[in-house]
Every structure is written in structure tokens, then in C-alpha cells.
Amino acid sequence: MQVLSLPEVYAILGTGPEGLSQEEAQRRLTNYGRNAISKIQDNRFAALAANFTHLMALLLWAGGLIAFMAGLPQLGIAIWLVNLINGIFSYWQERKAEKAMLALANMLPVYSMVLRSGHEYRVSADELVPGDIILLEEGDRVSADARLVQDSDLRIDQSALTGESRPVRKSSYPSDDALGEPSNIVFAGTSVISGSGVAVVFATGMQTEFGNIASLTQTMGQELSPLQKEMERVTRTVTLIAVSIGLALFLLAVLMAGMRPADGFIFAIGMIVAFVPEGLLPTVTLALAMGVQRMANRNALIKKLSVVETLGSTTVICTDKTGTLTQNQMTVSDIWVNGVRLEVTGTGYAPIGEIVGAETVESELHHLLIAAGLCNNAHLVEKAGQWTALGDPTEAALLVAAAKAGIDLHAESLRSPRISELHFDPQRKRMTTVHRQDGGQVAYVKGSPAETLKLCKYISTKSAPIQLDDADRATILAANDELAKSGLRVLAVAMRILPEEGILTPETVERDLTFLGLAAMMDPPRPEVKEAVKKCHNAGIRIIMITGDYGLTAESIARRIGIVESQPLVLTGADIDAMSDQALKECLAGEVILARVTPEHKLRVVNVLKDSGNVVAVTGDGVNDAPALKKADIGVAMGSGTDVAKEAADMILTDDNFASIVNAVEEGRAVYANIKRFVTYIFISNAPEAVPFILFAFSGGRIPLALNVMQILSVDLGTDIIPALALGAEPPEPGLMKRPPRSRMAHIITASMLARAYLLLGAIQSLAAMSAFYFMFWTNGYWGQFLDLPASGQLYMAATSMTLAAIVTTQIGNLFAQRTEARSFLKAGMFTNPLIWVGIAAELIIVYAVIYVPQLQWAFGTASFPLSNWIFLFAWMPSLLLVDELRKAWLRRRTIRH
């Protein structure tokens, strides 16, 4: 469309300069449909059902059903209630459905001005059709993709699509530029910064560039997070362990203990219940929810629970440059005038800072900044102490530089009022304004250094302009090259005293100029980004910059903030197109910067990185980032970014601070470490729950069951839950962000973890539990007797209550043991996690109620025992902690030796 002449455009679209008739517009609206982005139709029932049909949930449904079949309705109801509550809670947490399409639609303006049958009409934006003639004015948001037919200094903000902060000059002339660059095309969702124009619509709705991005976003499938995959593995492992042991002991009970098969079946169910951590799923869910809350307090809003842990697994962050690493505010950083390079301090649009060394070239600098400030269409606005720019950010940066030099541009504009303007043109690469000054006329010019210098005959000096020679030109070009190599955007500024009379055209005005100097500017990095990048590198996380900007500028920013240190490979979108996936994979393995890329390129890069085994996080704030945000393992959007980016992302940074990503990664790693802690904590209590059944089977029934199934459930779903949640709230251990990311091969349940849980700490807890069981008998007339003890009655129920209480009291010591991996528990501090004490109080209250409240005694088969017996129970409390402290001391000593 951009290469066609206007008559050809009109002919193809079946329209003309006066626009369509109302009847034809209505007919096309019926044929093409409304100018709207298709909305995602999500299935709420399917989303809800997913929380009840994953592997762990299915295991619990089956366990509850078997409990009913075995005549244990209390057990069945309890298990099903846990599953039901957990599923509803998970659905409620994750119900913030995908709204990317709706957000895209909301970015389209409500009304547009169109020309139909030669008359102007204000119509709803969703009624635009191909062939409509739309009228664009400053401040308008473009409603459809359209080809310009007329323009008057039209500048468009395309940052939502391209990620670039610099407004783009548009022209109605035919163009053969590549997609994303055509100067005569305006895109839906962009906005008019200045000037005006008339354009003919050629694409609406899903056929626009916005629509293409929407399609990419909509077709992204949901993938399981690392934690979800790990929980599936945990469920399979637990199921295998529980069912295998249950089956083995069923056979032992029938064959060795002489049980009837029906009784053996109930016995096996008890074993399975003992080994299935029913509280694991709700505990993980609640731990993740607490992680979400902590991240919200650190300016990171999480939309999906599993994202919390995924952050901690991140190995690569693909980040946009403009608005993410940078402030999206152009700032003059250097000025070159009369052979002197001056540093300009301060960033942003606030006129705070100074020009270092200005006094050495004061008059020349004064002339340059007045020229740059008057050859300018931008405005600075202060509101509530915040400075913003209206117009081109590059021009706004020049106004700020003039203000830092103490120049009153308003007074200068009154002294030298503008009488004409020669608009910036891509072919001329410069802009000129003509002013009346001291009874004559003066032209101020700014533009590309190379192009402007060709038109200069003189150079400004302290005394008077002197003629430029070849040496001067070489010096100026060398200075320009030096600034450009730093990734700065450089503009040349010049002037000319004009004759009193004459036609003001580029040919008559822009010649015999006096060169005033160079102004170099940059979009500065956010001040906190450098430290955040350093933390990422320390944590073993690679950062890849993906931007639509030029490679030189991108490399300069990347080097300045520490993303790259050696000489990086700079790949453009064209380079990526020419590469195979394997070649791209090899390039992405080293230091690389991706420049001049499209949304499709970003998406391909994410796919290749994921296929290479990386856990990929993608940051961004523009519409162009949405597909990659959606495809990544975790998408991170800026709070000030577009609605599309925020809706496609998994996490939103409310403070737009790249450093908040590092905080979120730390929280994610802490969540995973905490999940390992409370999984181990929960698994340890499985051992004393199973041992009574094992002893019962191997003794041929002569050792009565020291624990019943409902008492097991009171631990798994009662006393263990709040202490496990307390472990889920543990703060990150020191050095957590100096470790490499967790390997995909690393798992929560490992052989060493099972050995520690079952063979070491679990064995000690089993010893404590069985000793408490026998203690009750031995202090009530059965001293020294191990076999053929009563298997019913008040004494028996009191003995099982002692077993239950012993598990709970030793879990208190276990709770402190699990707070650290290798450090002594004393290093963690006794009061750094107040929830630990809440958990201890809660489990003691629960077990006391189960043992001493009559209604609960009936439900759980318990009976009260003398309060003096608690002395015996609390004597066992530190046993697990002391043994684990010895283990940790041995680990630390071994680490030092190696």
C-alpha cells in the first residue's frame, strides 16, 4: 500500500478524495465487520474444573471415595472438603482471566472524524471501514491502519507498537520502506503528536497491525509452570510410595497377621492415608498466596499463583529497552561547541542540572541553545512538581538544556518572533525556523550533523564567525563520530542572517549557514537499573536486550548499565530472519543484543530460548511486547505500560522499576526453598503415622494400632498446616541471590530428602511416638509389656492420644530444624518469623482440643490423659532439632574441607 500513488490507492479501495457515501459505508460495515479487536472467550467452567482434576486432586478424590467404601465416612468427608476448599481457593486466586483482547479494544478511540460524500462526520471508531477518509488532528488517536493522502507537519507517536519514544514524521509521499517504517502509513492505536493529516483507511479490526498482535497473543497456549510440573512429579512419587506400601502391608496383614481381606483392606487404606500428605496441596497454595502478598508489598503484582515460584527458576530475562531499562525521556548529555565538549548534568524533563564548563564558551553556547530552543515546537509542562513534555522528546530535551543554562526562551521568542517554518523532512533531515530579529530576519536550523554541515560556510567563535576550512569540518565530523559511538543521538545546530526580502524555501534559506555546534542526547537508563543488573548476574541470570532501536544505541545503553561487558553480538531483525533456529540458538548462548526487531522476532527468540532449556522471563511495556510476554514462562509488564502488555503479562511492576524484578526473583527463590522446607516437615510426620501400622502387621496383630486413621488426619489436615505455612513465610536466607538458578533437573523430593525425612528424623519421631504409646500403658499397670496390650477401651484410646501428642510435640522441634538448610537454626533468629510461634500455639491448641474436648474425642477416637504426662512429651520436643543440628554441623565442616 505504501508504494502506490494516490490514484492507485483510491482505485484499489474503491473510494475517492470525497470519501464513501453513507450507504456504501454501511454496506462495507456489513461485509467487513466492525472495527474492533476480537475478544477472548474463556471457559470459566473449564478453568474451575482444572483445579479439581489435576493429579493430586484426583488422588484425593479417589482416597475419599475409598474411605467411604471402607466405612470411614468422616475420613471421606474430610478429604473431599480439603480438595473442594483448595480448588475453590486456587480458582479464586487465578480468576484474573486473560483480557488482552479487551485491553487492545479499549485502546482504540471512541470516535473518529471521517469524510463521507464530501462532508465531515463524527462516527464511532468501530464503524470505520476500508475506503473511509479519516481526518487527523493533534491529540487524536488513530483508529485504523490508513494511507496518508495529505499531511501538514504530521508526527505520530508509535511507541505502543515499536517501543521507540521518538515521534515519527509522516508524509503522504509514496514509500518503499519495510513494515513498521513506512512514512506514509498510520497505524491503529498510535497517536498524533503534532500537525494534521488526511488518510484513507485500508485495514480495520483484526486486519490491522494491532489485530495481528492480538492474533499472536490469542493463539498463545498456556503451559505448565516449573512448579506445576514439579507438583505433578511429587504427586506421582507420593502416589507410588503410598500405594506400594499400602499394597505390601495389605499382603503382610492378610498373610502374616491373619487378617480377613476386608479388615486388611481398611488397614491398607490407613497406610495410604498415612503416606499421602493431604495437607500438602492447600499448604503449597497458601504459601504461594503469601508469596503473592509479599511481592505486592514490593511493587510486583502477581496474576497467577504458580508464577511466584517460576520467577525463582528464571535463567534468562529478555528485556525491552525503551521505558523498561530507560526512562523514556530524552536528555541532552553532551554539547560540543567551538572545539569544546561540555557535559550536561541531570536527567528527565525537570530543568535541574548544569552545563559543566559553560563559562569557557559562554557566548557560543548561548547562541547554540537559543537557536535550538527557538527552532523547536515542543513544550514543557510542570504539574504537582512533575515535569512532562508535549511534543517531540528530542526537542523537549533541547528546551531543558537551554533552561539549565539559564536562558529564558519565552523572552527570546518575544524578542525574535517566528514568522515561518520549514518543517523537518526525512530527505532533508533538518528543520528550519525563520524569526524577525533586530529589524531583520534570522534562520535557525537543526538536523543531521553530516547533512547540516554540508550547508555551512562559517563557524561561530567567541569574537565573530569565521570561515570553515577542511580541518574544521574534519574536527566536527570526528566529534560527531565520537558522540555517536557512545550511542547518543546527535543534532547539529546552525543559523543564518537572511536578506530582508526573498522567498523562504529550503533552497534559499538553508545555505551559507554558520555552524553553532552539536547537541548529543540519550534516553537515560533508570538510575536503579545498573545495580539490579548486577544482582541478576550474581544470581546467574542472563539478560538479553530486545529492542526496536538501532544497535549502536542499544549497545551503548547495555554497556552503560552492565548488561554486556565484552564485545556483544548485535543481531537485527533481518539477521534473525536469515538464521535457522539452530544458528539463532547458538547466537543466543553468548552476549547478544537484538535490535530493530518486530513482535514476531521477539516471539521466535522466546521460543528458541525455551527450547534450549531456559526458564524465560520477558519484560516490556508496549503492545509490541504482548506476544512474547504471553509466550514466556513469565511475562513482566510495567505498571505505566499499555493495557495490552499488562493483560498479557503474568506480573506487573507497579513502580516500573527493573530492580523490582530482582526482588521478585528473590521472593520466588525463597518460595521454592520454603516449599522444600514444609514438604520435608510434612513428610517427617508420615513416618510415625506409618510405623504403628507396620508394627501391627509384623507382630501378627499382637501390637495394637498406636494411631487410628482419623488421628492421622488430625495431624495432616490440622496440627501440621499452620506450622507448615509458617515455614512458607520464612524470609530469604543470606546468599540466596548468589546461587545459580535452580536446575530443571532439581526436584523437591529427592533421595537425600526422603532419607532425612524417613530414616533419620522420621525414625526418631517414630521412636518418640511409640515410647509415648507404651508410656501410657506402662504407667497404668502394664509395665514392661510390649505385646498383647488392650486394643480398645479408655486406656487404649488414651495411649493413642499420647502417640498423637508425641508427634505434635516433636514436630515443634522439627519446625525449628527446617528453618535453615545448612546454617544453625540460631542464625535464623528466634523472632524473625513471628508465624513460627503462631504455628506452635495453633498446633498445641488443636491437639489439646482433639484430646480433651468430648465431642472431638468421639470423632477422633481419643481419650484424655493426665496433664503430668505432658512433661514426658515435652522432653522429646528438642530431639529432632538436636539431631538435625549435628547433621548441619557435619555438612558445614565437610563444605569447608572441600
Side-chain angles (χ1 to χ4, degrees), residues 66 96 126 155 208 253 288 356 440 442 458 522 542 600 635 640 667 670 682 697 722 724 745 815 824 826 865:
I66 293 172
K96 295 176 181 178
D126 64 0
R155 301 184 188 213
T208 62
L288 291 174
V356 181
V442 60
Y458 307 97
M522 63 171 295
R542 294 177 57 228
E600 290 80 6
S640 63
E667 288 290 353
I682 289 171
I722 297 179
M745 303 304 294
L815 184 63
S824 169
L826 295 173
F865 53 76

Side-chain angles (χ1 to χ4, degrees), residues 465-481:
I466 61 173
Q467 191 154 344
L468 270 172
D469 57 26
D470 292 341
D472 293 327
R473 294 181 186 277
T475 300
I476 294 170
L477 291 175
N480 174 61
D481 290 344

Side-chain angles (χ1 to χ4, degrees), residues 831-849:
F831 301 100
T832 53
N833 183 2
L835 272 179
I836 291 290
W837 298 102
V838 174
I840 292 171
E843 64 181 335
L844 289 175
I845 290 171
I846 292 171
V847 75
Y848 184 88

Side-chain angles (χ1 to χ4, degrees), residues 785-818:
Q785 188 172 334
F786 286 93
L787 305 175
D788 303 321
L789 295 167
S792 61
Q794 286 295 112
L795 180 59
Y796 168 72
M797 288 190 291
T800 63
S801 300
M802 283 286 289
T803 307
L804 172 63
I807 294 174
V808 172
T809 53
T810 50
Q811 280 289 79
I812 294 175
N814 184 28
L815 184 63
F816 284 103
Q818 300 308 320

Side-chain angles (χ1 to χ4, degrees), residues 727-749:
L727 288 173
E730 277 292 309
E733 282 199 82
L736 188 65
M737 288 300 289
K738 293 184 179 179
R739 304 175 190 171
R742 176 174 64 88
S743 168
R744 285 183 180 267
M745 303 304 294
H747 299 295
I748 291 175
I749 297 180

